[in-house]
């Protein structure tokens, strides 16, 4: 598994990928052609994937997402070093923080 | 400029009045409309209002009145009671919106519509809806000292078209000329909430201040997080509504004052503002557990659950070569630093093992 700041990218065995994810359309790419895993609303900085692949949201903007990079890809961010990803499926999880009574998403 | 390379795009969109269309379906332009502050172009907004009336097949309103805030709008409308004529919000906003939504729903199918909504308005709605609700509550709190007035004010608030805060829907519904939503889109670019009636339209200016945190929640420690030109304002710390007076006290905090605060929510704000690390140092706390993922700390608070925190070090050095330490609150039952860090990613302690961290 790989971690870039507040985003954790966990390899997922092909058998563990939900069937509907195989059919699902990818999230749209941003203006620079990247798949945005997480966007900092204030800084505008993004954890983003460069390269062919698909990103499928499982629940809301801050929920986990599935990432498929058939040829491998690179995860980039304005303030973090690049992470090369081997090809395959991943679950992308954003870091959260405990708040009594609820849970808050962390954003760096 | 915070949005960096999107700057030109946003400026251009706003002046052309149709951000969603200019941005090729990307919701960034509407995001800036929703968050815009300061005076808009009144002429454009008024033209948008008249266009919306015409699109709905209504006679243009006799009078347009500008006010500085939704609170001022509600006060004016209470004075004008009986002279405004009936609300035309349904004909002018709800029905065209529903029609356009149905059209797209039919064209895209249920799954396609849901994908489209997630790609356009969904994120923006997540941050705009709570803001709208906060403004409504604050208007009620500021204008309804007597409980029996509250229902009447709620009804008035439901008569409002949300101006810039309609951005999430407009970004999803492609408000071009054929959609019947073009008038609403023009107003959205230049005004805050507006109240359409048969005889009069009341338009509110946008806020002059809007401060939010990364998660889109109202957040400011040294002034109002949302303020309108007439002084109507909301104070909030990371989304939690707080009294304005309370924020002034934050600069003079001591560990003793924090311990003495009886309201648990306000005490959390005080702790966050003071800094958990500083509080831990000054109260002589000892780490509970330490491993290669970080350090686990615990603060016991009388009458409240313990505060458990993991102290972790950012793997990417700052420009000056140092590594930033940060603190994340984890559930009070946490026993080890690894368990705490794993929890922040929804994992068990024994499955959290990053191969590479940056």
């Amino acid at each position: 598994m790989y971690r870039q700041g507040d985003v954790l990218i966990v390899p997922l065995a092909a058998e563990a990928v939900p069937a509907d994810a195989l059919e699902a359309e990818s999230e749209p790419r941003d203006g620079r052609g990247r798949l945005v895993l997480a966007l900092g609303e204030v800084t505008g900085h993004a954890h983003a994937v460069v390269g062919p692949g698909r990103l499928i949201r499982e629940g809301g903007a801050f929920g986990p997402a599935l990432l498929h990079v058939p040829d491998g890809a690179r995860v980039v961010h304005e303030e973090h070093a690049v992470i090369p990803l081997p090809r395959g499926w991943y679950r992308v999880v954003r870091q959260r923080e405990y708040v009594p009574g609820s849970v808050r998403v962390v954003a760096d | 400029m915070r949005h960096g390379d999107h700057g030109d795009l946003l400026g251009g969109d706003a002046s052309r009045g149709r951000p969603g269309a200019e941005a090729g379906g990307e919701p960034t332009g509407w995001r800036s409309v929703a968050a815009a502050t300061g005076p808009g172009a009144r002429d454009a907004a008024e033209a948008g209002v008249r266009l919306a009336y015409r699109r709905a097949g209504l006679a243009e309103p006799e009078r347009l009145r500008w006010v500085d805030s939704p609170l001022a709008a509600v006060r004016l409308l209470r004075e004008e009671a009986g002279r405004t004529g009936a609300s035309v919000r349904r004909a002018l906003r709800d029905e065209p919106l529903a029609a356009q939504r149905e059209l797209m729903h039919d064209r895209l199918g249920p799954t396609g519509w849901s994908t489209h909504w997630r790609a356009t308005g969904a994120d923006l709605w997540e941050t705009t809806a709570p803001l709208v609700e906060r403004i409504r509550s604050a208007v009620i709190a500021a204008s309804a000292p007597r409980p029996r007035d509250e229902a009447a004010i709620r009804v008035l608030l439901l008569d409002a078209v949300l101006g810039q805060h309609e951005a999430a829907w407009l970004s999803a519904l492609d408000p071009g000329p054929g959609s019947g939503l073009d008038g609403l889109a023009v107003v959205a670019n230049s005004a805050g909430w507006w109240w359409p009636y048969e005889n009069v339209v009341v338009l509110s200016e946008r806020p002059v201040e809007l401060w939010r945190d990364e998660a889109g929640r109202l957040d400011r420690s040294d002034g109002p997080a949302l303020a309108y030109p007439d002084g109507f304002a909301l104070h909030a710390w990371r989304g939690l509504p707080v009294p304005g007076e309370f924020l002034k006290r934050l600069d003079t905090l001591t560990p003793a004052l924090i311990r003495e605060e009886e309201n648990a929510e306000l005490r959390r704000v005080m702790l966050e503002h003071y800094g958990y690390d500083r509080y831990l140092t000054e109260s002589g706390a000892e780490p509970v557990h330490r491993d290669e993922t970080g350090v686990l700390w615990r603060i016991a608070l009388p009458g409240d659950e313990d505060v458990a925190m993991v102290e972790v070090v950012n793997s990417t050095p700052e420009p000056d070569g140092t590594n930033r330490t940060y603190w994340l609150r984890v559930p009070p039952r946490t026993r080890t630093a690894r368990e705490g860090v794993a929890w922040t990613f929804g994992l068990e302690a024994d499955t959290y093992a990053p191969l590479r961290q940056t």
Side-chain angles (χ1 to χ4, degrees), chain B residues 13-68:
Chain B
D13 290 343
S15 61
R16 283 194 296 271
R18 286 184 52 207
E22 311 305 334
E26 203 185 320
T28 321
W30 285 111
R31 189 172 296 281
S32 77
V33 166
T37 50
R42 287 194 173 191
D43 291 350
E46 292 181 5
V49 166
R50 296 200 169 91
L51 178 59
Y53 271 71
R54 291 200 299 278
R55 291 274 188 248
L58 300 166
E60 289 183 16
E62 296 156 24
R63 289 180 294 143
L64 279 80
R65 303 272 308 266
W66 281 89
V67 291
D68 279 343

Side-chain angles (χ1 to χ4, degrees), chain B residues 297-313:
Chain B
W297 296 83
R298 185 180 302 279
I299 305 171
L301 293 176
D304 197 0
E305 65 186 24
D306 288 357
V307 176
M309 310 277 301
V310 284
E311 175 191 342
V312 288
V313 176

Side-chain angles (χ1 to χ4, degrees), chain A residues 34-59:
Chain A
R34 313 174 304 175
L35 291 168
V36 176
L37 304 181
L39 180 69
E41 180 147 340
V42 173
T43 58
H45 291 169
H47 298 278
V49 167
V50 180
R54 288 191 302 142
L55 180 70
I56 298 135
R57 295 263 174 228
E58 290 184 298

Side-chain angles (χ1 to χ4, degrees), chain A residues 1 3 40-41 81 96 98, chain B residues 305 326 329 343-344 355 358:
Chain A
M1 73 182 64
R3 175 174 168 190
E41 180 147 340
R96 61 181 176 168
Y98 177 78
Chain B
E305 65 186 24
Y326 62 104
R329 192 161 175 187
W343 180 90
T344 65
L355 185 68
T358 70

Side-chain angles (χ1 to χ4, degrees), chain A residues 41 62, chain B residues 121-138 162 165 168 193 210 212-213 215-218 226 234 236 238-241:
Chain A
E41 180 147 340
F62 296 122
Chain B
D123 291 3
L124 190 49
W125 182 243
E126 242 175 74
T127 51
T128 309
L131 183 63
V132 166
E133 208 32 59
R134 285 290 310 280
I135 296 171
R136 286 193 181 129
S137 308
L162 301 181
H165 294 152
W193 298 8
L210 175 64
R212 295 184 299 170
D213 66 5
R217 300 167 305 182
L218 286 177
L226 179 81
L234 298 178
R238 297 191 180 174
L240 179 75

Side-chain angles (χ1 to χ4, degrees), chain A residues 1-5 8 27 32 40-43 61 79-82 93 95-98 100 104 107, chain B residues 2 5 118 123 212 214 217 268 305 316 326 328-329 343-346 351-358:
Chain A
M1 73 182 64
Y2 306 87
R3 175 174 168 190
Q4 191 183 59
L8 190 70
E27 291 288 308
R32 289 185 242 169
E41 180 147 340
V42 173
T43 58
E79 292 173 340
H80 296 275
V82 171
V93 187
Q95 194 162 36
R96 61 181 176 168
E97 185 173 12
Y98 177 78
R104 163 200 303 173
Chain B
R2 276 174 164 175
D5 50 341
R118 277 190 289 116
D123 291 3
R212 295 184 299 170
E214 288 277 354
R217 300 167 305 182
R268 273 170 214 142
E305 65 186 24
T316 302
Y326 62 104
L328 295 173
R329 192 161 175 187
W343 180 90
T344 65
F345 288 113
T351 51
Y352 177 73
L355 185 68
R356 189 183 161 99
Q357 306 191 59
T358 70

